[in-house]
Amino acid sequence: MADTATTASAAAAAAASAANASADAPPFQLGKPRFQQTSFYGRFRHFLDIIDPRTLFVTERRLREAVQLLEDYKHGTLRPGITNEQLWSAQKIKQAILHPDTNEKIFMPFRMSGYIPFGTPIVVGLLLPNQTLASTVFWQWLNQSHNACVNYANRNATKPSPASKFIQGYLGAVISAVSIAVGLNVLVQKANKFTPATRLLVQRFVPFPAVGPAGDGADASGPPHAHPGATPDRHVHAGEIETTQLEPEIARATSSRTVVYNKGL
């Protein structure tokens, strides 16, 4: 009877362990992505976690609890009954709100989870029809300002950069975006061969070429795209890749075995 009870107890424990380490809640790894990054579906779910706007409503108390839970895990002092799901949730909350280098709270509109709710109205403004010169300048400026702030708020803070670098990147992005948008709008207005319907259609696409090149300038105020030798868990939106998988000219530029890069959104 004792052997039967022991066997049943062991089976129950094994079942609980298996349930705890299910596909939805794999064994917790501090600082690592919850979902496998070797498949498209895994990367897709990873990015859904990053941009999850629900983390914008996490209370200060819940944030402190999440941070403490991760500290307990790190020091091996977790209380009994804590599941992998709870640990993954705690890490998601901490990474969404606190900067990984400074450990300070990121201003809500500039968090990766706030990119969609705060960025969507700006995109709508960029695509408004029949814009005046003033509205074109305003929406392009607002878009580049938001992008620059998001990049700066999520920057790699382990290597301080001079403020002049961020200012140059920001000004370059704004000037580039505004110049392209205004210039293209003027050209479209002067295109006599366009019918009113065609002119309106072409104007709707003007923000796209304006935003694209300007984004290169905005990157100057954000994290570098690759950090040879850096740890991949420093930024929630970072990825790691073997240098042997990179283009030859990029692989030759570093002696590191792996590089960490900014995946962006």
Side-chain angles (χ1 to χ4, degrees):
M1 181 67 70
D3 290 342
T4 303
T6 302
T7 302
S9 177
S17 178
N20 193 34
S22 65
D24 288 334
F28 180 71
Q29 291 181 287
L30 186 63
K32 301 296 183 181
R34 173 174 179 170
F35 305 103
Q36 287 293 331
Q37 300 297 284
T38 54
S39 68
F40 172 80
Y41 184 62
R43 293 191 295 271
F44 176 70
R45 295 192 68 181
H46 175 64
F47 280 111
L48 287 182
D49 254 4
I50 292 175
I51 64 175
D52 187 350
R54 291 176 298 178
T55 58
L56 296 173
F57 304 101
V58 171
T59 63
E60 188 69 29
R61 177 182 176 182
R62 180 70 183 94
L63 174 61
R64 289 197 301 268
E65 290 175 349
V67 172
Q68 186 59 54
L69 193 60
L70 295 176
E71 285 296 312
D72 291 344
Y73 174 87
K74 183 178 180 180
H75 296 100
T77 57
L78 272 180
R79 61 183 183 276
I82 297 298
T83 65
N84 287 317
E85 179 64 39
Q86 290 174 295
L87 290 168
W88 285 120
S89 178
Q91 178 165 274
K92 175 180 175 178
I93 289 172
K94 180 182 178 182
Q95 290 182 332
I97 299 175
L98 301 181
H99 191 282
D101 297 328
T102 65
N103 213 36
E104 296 178 352
K105 289 181 68 173
I106 299 174
F107 188 42
M108 192 179 292
F110 307 145
R111 297 174 191 170
M112 303 309 292
S113 56
Y115 198 81
I116 292 177
F118 290 99
T120 299
I122 298 176
V123 174
V124 172
L126 287 170
L127 298 176
L128 288 175
N130 302 319
Q131 294 204 38
T132 62
L133 175 63
S135 65
T136 298
V137 172
F138 170 76
W139 287 112
Q140 289 293 340
W141 165 79
L142 185 60
N143 179 60
Q144 294 304 327
S145 297
H146 180 247
N147 288 340
C149 288
V150 169
N151 282 337
Y152 182 79
N154 295 276
R155 71 196 183 282
N156 184 342
T158 58
K159 298 180 180 178
S161 300
S164 59
K165 178 181 179 181
F166 300 115
I167 294 174
Q168 285 177 346
Y170 168 66
L171 291 178
V174 171
I175 293 172
S176 174
V178 170
S179 300
I180 294 174
V182 172
L184 289 178
N185 274 322
V186 170
L187 289 175
V188 172
Q189 289 293 341
K190 290 184 177 181
N192 297 324
K193 294 183 179 181
F194 287 166
T195 64
T198 302
R199 182 178 290 108
L200 180 61
L201 179 63
V202 173
Q203 283 180 321
R204 290 291 183 90
F205 288 92
V206 165
F208 295 100
V211 169
D216 295 333
D219 282 343
S221 61
H225 287 287
H227 313 290
T231 54
D233 57 328
R234 295 206 65 82
H235 294 280
V236 68
H237 53 286
E240 184 179 26
I241 188 172
E242 297 277 347
T243 51
T244 55
Q245 299 180 32
L246 298 171
E247 291 82 353
E249 59 273 19
I250 299 178
R252 288 195 296 268
T254 177
S255 58
S256 299
R257 188 176 64 85
T258 62
V259 294
V260 175
Y261 61 94
N262 176 23
K263 292 181 178 179
L265 282 178

